[in-house]
Amino acid sequence: MALREIRTLPDPVLRKKAKKVAMVSPETRRLIDDMVETMRAAPGVGLAATQVGIGHRVIVVEYSDEPDQDPPEGSPPLPTVLYTLINPEITRASREKVTGIEACLSVPGFAGEVERNREVVVKGFNAKGSPVRIHAKGWLARIFQHEIDHINGVLFVDRAAKVWEVGSEEAKDNV
Ligand code: ZN
């Protein structure tokens, strides 16, 4: 495994629509391993292949599921789950939208207010090439929408109602 360089604006690779992966090769698996390591080192909660300069439809997300209700006070934090998705697609999205504040490893120093679907169903393939279907809510749903935007060459600043500069210490949950 190796860390890869995270591309930042105005790198043109961030604006290209990524190509579908036709076959999960050893090279794809190496890319996924490197993306997971790069995401964790950043640190971030999601990363798209385009962010490391590779025009393939691959994303990784590591986050805890949104609980249906607030856990009682003093409960341990929910465990995080690592999702690896090849050729991900949003197949369903709730009509209900929510506004949240996003930041992006490829747009360092900025945050923005972005409206997203509250829930989405994402389909794709895992690193073994098996089909995967995820029903994501809340922040997890937001992260998937942000990452799938990346492989379509779209950045959160394109969708944000407002964008502002932040100190690096304020940035959290980068994707
Ligand atoms: Zn991002």
Side-chain angles (χ1 to χ4, degrees), residues 40-111:
R40 286 176 176 163
V45 294
L47 196 69
T50 48
Q51 290 182 277
V52 292
I54 305 292
H56 292 168
R57 301 184 80 78
V58 177
I59 64 168
V60 294
V61 170
E62 191 167 47
Y63 205 66
S64 52
D65 265 322
E66 194 90 353
D68 284 328
Q69 52 199 54
D70 282 338
E73 225 171 295
S75 320
L78 286 170
T80 56
V81 181
L82 175 65
Y83 301 93
T84 294
L85 277 177
I86 297 165
N87 301 339
E89 271 181 76
I90 293 172
T91 56
R92 288 180 66 182
S94 64
R95 206 166 298 166
E96 193 188 346
K97 299 210 170 163
V98 278
T99 298
I101 293 168
E102 294 187 17
C104 178
L105 295 167
S106 296
V107 192
F110 291 87

Side-chain angles (χ1 to χ4, degrees), residues 46-48 51 103-107 146-147 150 155-156 174-175:
L47 196 69
Q51 290 182 277
C104 178
L105 295 167
S106 296
V107 192
H146 180 114
E147 298 312 329
H150 268 304
L155 299 171
F156 83 94
N174 270 303
V175 278

Side-chain angles (χ1 to χ4, degrees), residues 28-173:
T28 315
R29 282 191 284 270
R30 204 153 43 234
L31 169 66
I32 289 167
D33 286 348
D34 289 354
M35 283 171 64
V36 170
E37 195 180 347
T38 305
M39 169 180 70
R40 286 176 176 163
V45 294
L47 196 69
T50 48
Q51 290 182 277
V52 292
I54 305 292
H56 292 168
R57 301 184 80 78
V58 177
I59 64 168
V60 294
V61 170
E62 191 167 47
Y63 205 66
S64 52
D65 265 322
E66 194 90 353
D68 284 328
Q69 52 199 54
D70 282 338
E73 225 171 295
S75 320
L78 286 170
T80 56
V81 181
L82 175 65
Y83 301 93
T84 294
L85 277 177
I86 297 165
N87 301 339
E89 271 181 76
I90 293 172
T91 56
R92 288 180 66 182
S94 64
R95 206 166 298 166
E96 193 188 346
K97 299 210 170 163
V98 278
T99 298
I101 293 168
E102 294 187 17
C104 178
L105 295 167
S106 296
V107 192
F110 291 87
E113 204 175 88
V114 186
E115 194 180 67
R116 301 278 189 189
N117 301 95
R118 183 188 285 279
E119 295 184 34
V120 290
V121 173
V122 183
K123 284 187 181 174
F125 298 88
N126 65 18
K128 291 176 185 152
S130 308
V132 183
R133 180 185 182 277
I134 299 151
H135 181 179
K137 300 175 204 169
W139 273 99
L140 185 60
R142 175 174 296 277
I143 298 166
F144 277 117
Q145 290 170 81
H146 180 114
E147 298 312 329
I148 291 170
D149 269 354
H150 268 304
I151 55 176
N152 289 323
V154 175
L155 299 171
F156 83 94
V157 290
D158 306 336
R159 295 192 184 274
K162 271 191 287 187
V163 176
W164 58 91
E165 261 186 273
V166 290
S168 55
E169 70 286 348
E170 283 177 56
K172 60 175 180 90
D173 284 357

